[in-house]
Amino acid sequence: MVREGEFTAGIYVYHQNQHLLKYQSLEQIRQLTAVSNKNWTVDWQVLTSMNLSGLVHSGQFPAMTKMLVKGRVDFMLAPFYNSADLSFVEQAQKFIPIPNIKVGLPGERVYALS
């Protein structure tokens, strides 16, 4: 269970876009474009409230990562992965979080067990 205010996500970029790793403040991140799914209401609301340069809807996670690789968007929100550098690989492409930055997502995460 994750209590209110404890759930965070990373701002993930395509590993070859090293220049994006220098963005360390909300003011700088507002210059970027993001991709998310409108059905992920919490993520969408948080990204909308950040007043980004652009926010693009994509229906599927693999399509989102393709958009990052092709440079159509700069970043996506994702949970921090359990790897040494917090990266993840999708379709043989590596994605890394901007260091020292995390985004708080409102709400709690609970699981029903029987």
Side-chain angles (χ1 to χ4, degrees):
M1 180 170 153
V2 179
R3 292 180 289 239
E4 176 69 42
E6 292 182 345
F7 193 77
T8 60
I11 294 180
Y12 277 79
V13 300
Y14 180 47
H15 79 101
Q16 290 187 5
N17 290 337
Q18 294 286 313
H19 68 282
L20 295 175
L21 300 179
K22 69 179 181 180
Y23 289 81
Q24 292 292 303
S25 70
L26 179 56
E27 242 354 271
Q28 292 173 317
I29 291 169
R30 283 184 172 144
Q31 300 170 29
L32 303 177
T33 57
V35 62
S36 189
N37 185 321
K38 288 181 182 180
N39 295 323
W40 302 347
T41 55
V42 173
D43 292 35
W44 195 264
Q45 289 170 349
V46 167
L47 289 166
T48 300
S49 73
M50 291 171 67
N51 296 316
L52 300 169
S53 176
L55 178 55
V56 178
H57 167 76
S58 180
Q60 298 179 346
F61 191 81
M64 292 178 198
T65 57
K66 281 183 185 178
M67 291 177 77
L68 288 169
V69 171
K70 292 183 179 197
R72 292 187 54 209
V73 295
D74 298 309
F75 76 90
M76 67 185 294
L77 292 182
F80 290 106
Y81 284 75
N82 191 20
S83 59
D85 61 358
L86 305 175
S87 69
F88 71 91
V89 174
E90 174 73 28
Q91 298 177 2
Q93 302 295 332
K94 185 176 181 178
F95 302 89
I96 56 176
I98 294 177
N100 306 312
I101 300 288
K102 61 183 174 180
V103 177
L105 299 175
E108 61 185 1
R109 308 305 187 266
V110 295
Y111 306 94
L113 303 173
S114 66

